[in-house]
Amino acid sequence: MKDVKALEKKLGSTMGEFKKFILKGNIIDMAVGVIIGGAFSKIVTSLVNDILMPALGAVTGGASFNTLKYVIRPAVLDGAGNEISAEAAILYGSFIQNIVDFLIIGFCMFFMVKTIAAVTARFRHEEEEKAAPPAPAGPTAEELLTEIRDLLKEKNS
């Protein structure tokens, strides 16, 4: 009975810690970022597959990057045309598409992070200006020159 109560207490404590952890702002921000990142990845993949690669294929003479491959071992077919063993090929066209995907995502993320950093720095600077007390007003240049003149007169007298 004592062990059960100790286990319940420990489990309750662990669940409380988990609840605090989950409800922290950073975790929620990260979850939102992952969801938006997944949606953004679909947009970039569509941009690459449906717009950029066909345009690049048209420029390169109609070559489709999806079909670019180096066949190591061709497929083996029986007399009826059924595939006995699949071909072994290096699909370098698909690899090129993935590189383009990566570069576009990296480019977008770079500028997104750069923009967020600039906006954050600007807000932080504005907040610091609001929080900082105004600088004490010192003597004007005329007052300083008058004081220097008077000190020099006293020294010469």
Side-chain angles (χ1 to χ4, degrees), residues 39-114:
F40 184 71
S41 177
K42 288 181 182 181
I43 292 170
V44 171
T45 300
S46 176
L47 172 70
V48 171
N49 293 340
D50 303 332
I51 296 173
L52 293 179
M53 286 304 175
L56 194 57
V59 170
T60 59
S64 171
F65 280 85
N66 286 332
T67 60
L68 294 178
K69 61 185 175 182
Y70 177 75
V71 178
I72 298 171
R73 188 189 74 228
V76 177
L77 305 175
D78 63 8
N82 296 326
E83 187 175 338
I84 296 173
S85 67
E87 77 177 1
I90 297 173
L91 305 173
Y92 65 90
S94 178
F95 181 69
I96 291 171
Q97 273 191 299
N98 288 329
I99 289 173
V100 172
D101 273 352
F102 173 77
L103 292 174
I104 291 172
I105 290 172
F107 183 76
C108 291
M109 294 307 291
F110 170 76
F111 281 106
M112 189 182 311
V113 168
K114 190 171 181 163

Side-chain angles (χ1 to χ4, degrees), residues 129-142:
E129 284 180 351
K130 287 179 186 177
T140 64
E142 289 178 13

